[in-house]
Amino acid sequence: GLGDVYKRQYQDLLALGENEESRKTFIIDAIYEHKCSSAFATAVDAHGYYKGLNPTIMKYEKIIYDLQGIAHNDEWTANHKIASNFFNFAVTQENQYLLGNGAVFGNDSTKEKLGKSFDETLQELGKYALVSGVSFGLWNLDHIEAFDLTEFVPLYDEENGALRAGVRFWQIDSDKPLRATLYEEDGYTDYIRRKNSKVETLQEKRPYKLKTRTSAVDGEVIYDGENYPDFPIIPLWANDKKQSELVGRKGTLDAFDLLNSNLVNNLDEANFIYWVISNCGGMDDVDDAKFIERLKTMHVAHIDGDNVNGANVQANTIDVPYQASETAISAIKSRLYEDFMCLNIADFSAGNKTATEIRAAYQPLDSKCDMYEYCIDTFIRKLFTLIGIDDTVSFRRSKIINQSEEVQMILSAAEYLDADTVTEQICQILGMGDKAEEIIRKKQDENTARYADMLAQQTANEGNSGGADEQGAE
């Protein structure tokens, strides 16, 4: 349940009443507990993977043991740390595959009501949700704003699980002021805690929608305000599990990065020549160092003795069995595509794929995005209810297709469809969906002009025929 990762609940805030000092203490404690929660820790790790900074690999250190069994950090062998960008790839592919073309509404006026940046903010919300497990959208009068779990403390209702309040916080650095905003159903309050100081109320609670008037004497004055019919912050979950897309796949991703790191480490350690000097037991470490230094500078080695028991110098190299590492890396990479249910574009490079093969390759990604789309639909329906919009939403997914086969399929069914539908479908396949209405209008104008020309020609022919009959009668 949500209580496993979110300790503070909405009822804890209600119990404080309007006691401002208790609320200040509550906010600081809530932020601290939120940062200590497992949900926050997972979100922070997931953002590290998303940025290509695998936290597990970056903390990985080689250990060696001495003769007494005491562990020491291995500071002599190579320890390259290679973090892949696969988690970023998986999140970006899923998010843009569904939301990349923007939301499509039944009414043209809906986009205007939601604001010009709605599609971009929805993509940002989706990215935060897939990485952290959940994101939060604040409806701010005429547009929506995106909050990530790493900057927002949700306060859920312990009775029904609904989001009833929350604290957004941010701090540039530990020695800089901590800013926090408490959002409630009846308004929001701003707080600040400066270094070595107590929490202060920066702005008293005020409604979400303020009414102002401006005069030459008083300037801009707030004279009234109102709130929304419900709490204006809506959670967007990434999936039905309400978890980050990293959960359950982190081990495979770590294994992939570790294999790549070890392959480079092995190649680095093998990229040298070592020397075997026989019958020179009297040489100490200083002599060995001088020997290597002379080889590097003079490229000459002096050997005493010419018999079997004489001194001997032999150069050796190490061959790394990289084939086994490459096989393991390839196997783990395939497992990553299966675990994250991603589309592997490399599968389409083997030749001209049929439409059936392409649809089969998209099936895992489609299944994952179907569940993701349910979460997006739920979020938008709640947003519509909040701001009073009666409409539906849909999304057009970006797919690789066999254009010629898809167009031929539409044309073969043209006798069962009207001309406008055929035109719209072909425009969508050719990536000209935004020009479909213009093309349909031009075709209608051409048909109208052709019909007018035909009528004019028919009228002219009838006129000529009538004149000939009259001459004959005369």
Side-chain angles (χ1 to χ4, degrees), residues 177-193:
L178 169 67
R179 291 286 305 275
T181 301
L182 173 61
Y183 293 94
E184 302 174 84
E185 292 178 349
D186 60 343
Y188 64 98
T189 312
D190 291 327
Y191 298 92
I192 186 172
R193 186 180 70 174

Side-chain angles (χ1 to χ4, degrees), residues 397-408:
R397 303 181 183 183
S398 301
K399 284 190 175 184
I400 298 173
I401 61 172
N402 186 321
Q403 284 188 339
S404 60
E405 189 171 344
E406 293 284 343
V407 170
Q408 187 61 39

Side-chain angles (χ1 to χ4, degrees), residues 4-255:
D4 296 337
V5 290
Y6 305 112
K7 302 299 182 184
R8 297 273 172 165
Q9 306 296 323
Y10 175 65
Q11 278 70 15
D12 298 328
L13 178 63
L14 283 182
L16 302 176
E18 295 299 325
N19 189 314
E20 193 64 18
E21 293 303 318
S22 298
R23 282 171 164 254
K24 293 176 182 178
T25 303
F26 175 87
I27 289 172
I28 297 301
D29 291 344
I31 294 174
Y32 175 77
E33 290 183 4
H34 180 64
K35 289 184 175 181
C36 295
S37 68
S38 58
F40 185 86
T42 299
V44 171
D45 272 354
H47 277 281
Y49 282 92
Y50 183 81
K51 295 175 182 178
L53 303 172
N54 185 322
T56 304
I57 294 297
M58 295 306 165
K59 297 174 184 176
Y60 171 73
E61 296 292 342
K62 289 185 175 182
I63 301 296
I64 57 175
Y65 294 89
D66 58 22
L67 296 178
Q68 286 75 33
I70 301 175
H72 303 276
N73 287 337
D74 187 355
E75 300 178 358
W76 294 273
T77 59
N79 189 19
H80 298 284
K81 299 175 181 180
I82 300 176
S84 67
N85 200 41
F86 196 92
F87 185 62
N88 181 298
F89 163 76
V91 168
T92 302
Q93 186 182 82
E94 179 178 358
N95 198 46
Q96 297 306 114
Y97 177 62
L98 181 64
L99 305 178
N101 292 318
V104 179
F105 301 101
N107 300 327
D108 295 336
S109 61
T110 300
K111 269 284 176 73
E112 297 179 3
K113 295 178 182 178
L114 294 175
K116 296 181 180 179
S117 62
F118 176 77
D119 286 328
E120 291 81 359
T121 307
L122 184 61
Q123 291 179 29
E124 186 179 12
L125 279 165
K127 180 189 72 174
Y128 287 160
L130 294 173
V131 174
S132 300
V134 63
S135 61
F136 305 90
L138 166 66
W139 178 250
N140 190 357
L141 188 61
D142 59 356
H143 67 283
I144 196 167
E145 298 179 8
F147 298 159
D148 184 53
L149 184 63
T150 57
E151 61 178 348
F152 186 78
V153 184
L155 298 174
Y156 295 101
D157 192 318
E158 63 186 24
E159 296 178 0
N160 56 25
L163 182 65
R164 301 289 300 278
V167 180
R168 191 194 180 198
F169 62 94
W170 65 98
Q171 188 176 21
I172 298 177
D173 198 25
S174 58
D175 61 342
K176 301 299 180 181
L178 169 67
R179 291 286 305 275
T181 301
L182 173 61
Y183 293 94
E184 302 174 84
E185 292 178 349
D186 60 343
Y188 64 98
T189 312
D190 291 327
Y191 298 92
I192 186 172
R193 186 180 70 174
R194 297 179 174 87
K195 186 177 181 181
N196 300 326
S197 301
K198 294 183 178 180
V199 180
E200 304 173 22
T201 302
L202 192 62
Q203 177 67 55
E204 299 289 344
K205 182 186 292 187
R206 54 177 167 176
Y208 290 99
K209 293 187 285 185
L210 300 176
K211 297 180 180 179
T212 63
R213 59 170 170 250
T214 304
S215 65
V217 178
D218 301 323
E220 186 177 67
V221 178
I222 299 173
Y223 70 90
D224 196 6
E226 60 179 312
N227 292 304
Y228 297 100
D230 201 352
F231 187 54
I233 299 181
I234 305 170
L236 170 60
W237 300 97
N239 46 59
D240 62 323
K241 299 179 295 183
K242 299 183 177 181
Q243 293 178 337
S244 166
E245 287 295 298
L246 182 66
V247 176
R249 296 148 175 162
K250 179 175 175 291
T252 309
L253 193 55
D254 289 342

Side-chain angles (χ1 to χ4, degrees), residues 348 351-360 401-402 405-406:
F348 296 103
N352 189 24
K353 298 293 184 180
T354 65
T356 302
E357 290 175 320
I358 294 175
R359 282 193 290 269
I401 61 172
N402 186 321
E405 189 171 344
E406 293 284 343

Side-chain angles (χ1 to χ4, degrees), residues 387-399:
I387 58 182
I389 293 179
D390 184 15
D391 202 353
T392 58
V393 63
S394 61
F395 301 94
R396 183 169 57 86
R397 303 181 183 183
S398 301
K399 284 190 175 184

